[in-house]
Amino acid sequence: MSGAPDRPAPAFLPLIVENLPLDDLAPYRQFVTWNPEWRAGTNGKPGRWAKPPRDPHTGDYADTGNPGIPETWGAWDDVFPRYDRVGFAPTRNDPFTFLDVDNSVTPAGAIKPWAQAIVDRFPNAYWEYSPSGTGLKGFVRGHVAENTVVPIGDGKLEVFSCG
């Protein structure tokens, strides 16, 4: 990889299939896979590892934008067990709102107090650690009118129903 750091990609948490709410998600053909990819820094910002979505059929980039390209997604059975890195492409046509709480977990694995307050506000949400182990991801049934990013604590909360 051109411009990649001398260190390997970070260790990502393993997929624990038995913890996934597949009764809710599996009926939707909105699954993608992903691989870590180094993104060089720009405008004075440092480079970082990204997790771009990939088409489970071709391995090419998947389009999960708003509205995205469903042909680049797959069914649960297209993704697992072939891949162990799984993502879900949210759309306005599914009944979910997704929550991404960045920088919300300490290096020791504890949820930061400001992030725990978010988790507590959504007791019926499904929650998991992000693949990097530094944040939380969750979803609830329902839709937000507009995708939102809110700085909070020393991180941020992203709330989105599509894209």
Side-chain angles (χ1 to χ4, degrees), residues 48-136:
R48 65 180 179 86
W49 287 100
K51 301 176 288 284
R54 299 278 185 164
D55 181 325
H57 304 288
T58 67
D60 295 333
Y61 290 114
D63 185 335
T64 58
N66 183 8
I69 300 176
E71 293 80 18
T72 65
W73 311 339
W76 171 250
D77 293 337
D78 296 328
V79 176
F80 188 82
R82 185 174 174 199
Y83 300 99
D84 61 357
R85 295 175 174 149
V86 176
F88 188 84
T91 72
R92 295 214 183 274
N93 296 325
D94 66 53
F96 309 118
T97 288
F98 290 82
L99 308 157
D100 191 355
V101 191
D102 292 339
N103 196 34
S104 57
V105 178
T106 69
I111 298 173
K112 295 177 181 179
W114 63 264
Q116 185 63 54
I118 294 169
V119 171
D120 292 345
R121 291 205 53 187
F122 296 96
N124 295 322
Y126 165 80
W127 288 101
E128 65 183 18
Y129 287 96
S130 64
S132 67
T134 62
L136 298 170

